[in-house]
């Protein structure tokens, strides 16, 4: 009886997004966030990243930001849109979004996480994968692929947004994963089908949930530039992912 | 009678943050946002920028992002915290936060704006000014100073956050401006007093309002790393600035 009371009290105190450690004390839900640089044209979109982190902090999650320690495929001057000759490192640039608190993705295992969310931006299709150049025939960064496959096998929820969802379509195409990147985009729509995945049209305010695969996606910037709408869709995605954590 | 009805209808339709153009149709409030690069250690803090833009978009403001077209004083590797040998340009890096839609601050005049907000991060005390090195004896970038002085003279509201408020203390010290940078920081507190300004302690969730100078400040990251609290204080600041627009 006392145990039941303590259990209810703990739920009331820590909200519905807590899990329980072996000692019985509540532990925060651990959510990995994969970044691909810092800026929508060659890395992670800054607003998508900020709204993801804000929604996770609101829900009292423990956040583990990560990126691969590899050179960015491109560096784009965001003022002129021209390709720059500069060389930048994905982990170092992502650290700007993480205010320095970030891990090399190769050091992160599925066992360290309860869920994962991949932030969008062109870095996801230029550096974390080569979707932009190769479409359905793309390859995915080894560690990004490994971690997502590991989480999927462990039936842990996977969230994704914007172009990053192209990587989820590729990795889980054989599972006929349902994802959204907004409207049926001329460039990416046929690639999603060719990968074996299914595209569900949605707006930036929506999230699309694949029950079987525990995959939650939102169009984010692919659905338009309204940061208000993007923040709404991302908060829905984050909260659905957290709800799916056992 | 009809005119009064139309006026009330317009207010109901467009909310309280609209102003009226000469033709009588509602015009969006135009708010300048000054950036100083892209990353808390050598530029604008990314979360402060994203939450400022989100709050302005929620209030249906027209946003004019800007930065000076000058080299950053420092480039900091945000992963190692070490100073980098790289050279980066303040306007080009700020364009990452603006998704490319940004102006050179030298091309912006007070007449173009109804209000201005300065985003924080170390770029404000390293590149937009040399507050970090020189404290009360600092100098401010010519265009940043010009624009803030112009808006102050025109009795247009000025919002600021985090370390950027040190520049407001310097520029409006003779006006005994009241600002907050959070707690009475050992390094910056005495400098604020020496500049002639007054420091009002506050938390990240608060905003401090100087009625006489129409200056609104919030501690943001100087008040702690909780992005939830930072977003609350920034939204209060943005809404107060918009309320002050005649």
């Amino acid at each position: 009886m006392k145990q039941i009371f303590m259990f209810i009290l703990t739920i009331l105190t820590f909200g519905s997004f807590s899990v329980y450690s072996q000692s019985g004390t509540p532990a925060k839900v651990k959510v990995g966030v994969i970044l691909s640089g810092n800026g929508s044209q060659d890395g992670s979109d800054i607003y998508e990243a900020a709204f993801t982190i804000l929604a996770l902090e609101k829900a009292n999650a423990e956040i583990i930001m990560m990126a691969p320690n590899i050179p960015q495929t491109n560096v784009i001057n965001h003022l002129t849109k021209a390709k720059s000759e500069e060389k930048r490192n994905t982990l170092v640039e992502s650290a700007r979004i993480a205010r320095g608190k970030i891990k090399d993705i190769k050091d992160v295992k599925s066992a360290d996480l309860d869920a994962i969310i991949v932030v969008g931006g062109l870095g996801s299709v230029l550096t974390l994968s080569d979707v932009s150049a190769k479409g359905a025939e793309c390859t995915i960064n080894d560690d990004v692929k490994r971690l997502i496959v590991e989480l999927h096998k462990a039936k842990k929820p996977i969230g994704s947004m914007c172009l990053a969802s192209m990587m989820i379509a590729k990795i889980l195409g054989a599972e006929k994963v349902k994802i959204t990147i907004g409207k049926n985009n001329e460039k990416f729509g046929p690639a999603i089908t060719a990968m074996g995945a299914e595209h569900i049209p949605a707006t930036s305010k929506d999230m699309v949930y694949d029950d079987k695969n525990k995959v939650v996606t939102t169009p984010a910037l692919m659905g338009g530039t309204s940061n208000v709408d993007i923040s709404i869709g991302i908060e829905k995605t984050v909260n659905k992912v957290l709800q799916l954590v056992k």
Side-chain angles (χ1 to χ4, degrees), chain A residues 73-92:
Chain A
T73 299
N74 286 347
V75 178
I76 303 293
N77 178 319
H78 281 53
L79 184 65
T80 62
K81 311 285 184 208
K83 202 172 161 179
S84 164
E85 290 305 305
E86 283 175 83
K87 302 292 174 200
R88 295 190 182 184
N89 174 286
T90 310
L91 181 60
V92 170

Side-chain angles (χ1 to χ4, degrees), chain A residues 30-133:
Chain A
K30 286 180 273 186
V31 182
V33 175
I34 300 181
L35 300 172
S36 62
N38 174 25
S40 59
Q41 298 301 306
D42 58 15
S44 292
D45 180 69
I46 285 166
Y47 298 84
E48 290 180 11
F51 301 154
T52 300
I53 300 305
L54 181 63
L56 286 167
E57 283 192 24
K58 277 186 187 171
N60 200 32
E62 181 180 336
I63 301 162
I64 298 109
M65 284 187 252
M66 66 192 83
N69 188 5
I70 57 174
Q72 288 186 196
T73 299
N74 286 347
V75 178
I76 303 293
N77 178 319
H78 281 53
L79 184 65
T80 62
K81 311 285 184 208
K83 202 172 161 179
S84 164
E85 290 305 305
E86 283 175 83
K87 302 292 174 200
R88 295 190 182 184
N89 174 286
T90 310
L91 181 60
V92 170
E93 297 309 314
S94 299
R96 291 179 172 267
I97 290 180
R99 293 197 192 118
K101 207 178 160 195
I102 193 164
K103 288 187 174 185
D104 183 339
I105 193 172
K106 81 171 168 54
D107 298 328
V108 183
K109 294 179 195 73
S110 169
D112 303 330
L113 305 173
D114 298 308
I116 201 153
I117 296 174
V118 195
V119 174
L122 279 160
S124 63
V125 293
L126 288 168
T127 295
L128 300 191
S129 71
D130 55 7
V131 170
S132 184

